[in-house]
Amino acid sequence: MHLRMVNKQHTLMLLPNMFGSLSSTIMSLMIGSYASSAVTFPGVKLIYDAGMKFHVIMWMWTGLAGLVFFNCFFNWPSEGFPTPDEVDYSKILTMHEVPSSKQKAVEERLSQKNGDVQHSREKLPNEPDAAPNTVPFRRSVFSPIFLWSLITMAMTQLRIIFFMGAMNKMLEFMVIHGEEHPPNMRVVEAENTVGFYASIFGTLQLLCLVTCPLIGYIMDWKMKECEEEKCASSGIVQRPKRDRKIQKVTNAMRAFILTNLLLIIFGICNLVDNLPLQILTFILHTMVRGFIHSCCGGLYAAVYPSNHFGTLTGLQSMISAVFALLQQPLFIVMVTHLHGNAYWINMGLLIISFTGFLLPGYLFFHCRNLLRELKAKDGQPASQEMQALKYIEANGFKPHRNGSASAEA
């Protein structure tokens, strides 16, 4: 399942770059479509119960997977879609727009000072392969954000996969309550109850497609304000109200907080010995399963270069999948030593789930550092101007302070 998730992410993560400020929403919608694909398994079970042989079903499934593979192979784009930060809009405007008289005057003035403007633009590192290569991949791997995300993803994957693997046994325990030799009527009741709730769990997987855009909306919150706006009357390009990187990291922090809160509520509901309450547990499980991948993908897209995104996502998926293999010994302990009672295992996993708040905690301090750097960067030109004024005054020249001078400024 994890390998399919990696392939799904690597083949579809180019497409959200075409949607600008809605890229995270489109990404979460794709992840939701992947996660909701589990709803097909109840249909497969119905086909199997109708009398079709299992190997025939699997060969049909293999044929559909082959069609998807060939579709990706022949329709793979020759060049990746650049992110909004990597698009060189100066080249687009130069190639497709006729410059006005003011633009020609500015271009001539710049050409006299810095040479040919067109030639200087070609040297800018705005190509998709130029700017990201300045950051070594090793630095991205050993960065605190990636390491904290590994802990969060590994813990969440273990929590989610253990529940999926042990769900039938936990539902059976809620009916039999650990009796070693239950009567036949109780055994039949347990089988019917497990089958009924398992079908509900499979059907609810379709909620991934409905709920995942919510976390994408949080990831795209106020991203429109990070774009430059051109005044219609004066034609002056106004500065963005918010910094794009800071807003992305802030949104990712909020998304991780919401996902971890849902994971904690899921763990609490899992401790309650009540069958109807487990439907709420199924819903929370479905939401967390889709949310956590959207959060991680949005965070990597915000912090790391685009040419590191696929490798980091694959590395994170592989490590979290290996860590999730611990669900097998936990399941053996539950069945043998705990006689089907998963209470203490769920309690331990609930306590471990609180480590998921370490990543948004670090992102909070990271945002503060980015804000501090941004303020220092904005204040640097003003300080240079004050130094120039002091230098002029020291050499016997006083700046004009009359009305006309201030008006010109």
Side-chain angles (χ1 to χ4, degrees), residues 326-388:
L326 290 175
Q327 61 93 18
Q328 182 62 23
L330 290 178
F331 180 79
I332 294 175
V333 171
M334 181 193 73
V335 174
T336 56
H337 299 284
L338 300 178
H339 307 287
N341 186 5
Y343 179 84
W344 290 110
I345 294 178
N346 289 326
M347 177 63 74
L349 292 175
L350 175 61
I351 295 173
I352 295 174
S353 298
F354 283 94
T355 59
F357 290 99
L358 295 175
L359 176 59
Y362 178 81
L363 292 178
F364 174 76
F365 289 103
H366 183 64
C367 283
R368 292 184 62 181
N369 292 332
L370 291 177
L371 284 171
R372 194 179 298 113
E373 292 176 1
L374 182 64
K375 290 180 180 179
K377 184 179 179 180
D378 291 342
Q380 187 176 3
S383 62
Q384 291 178 351
E385 183 179 352
M386 290 300 297
Q387 290 179 1

Side-chain angles (χ1 to χ4, degrees), residues 5 57 69 73 78 80 109 123 148 195 204 219 332 344 354:
M5 183 66 205
I57 297 175
F69 172 78
F73 181 79
S78 58
R109 192 161 60 246
K123 290 184 177 180
W148 283 120
L204 286 176
M219 297 288 290
I332 294 175
W344 290 110
F354 283 94

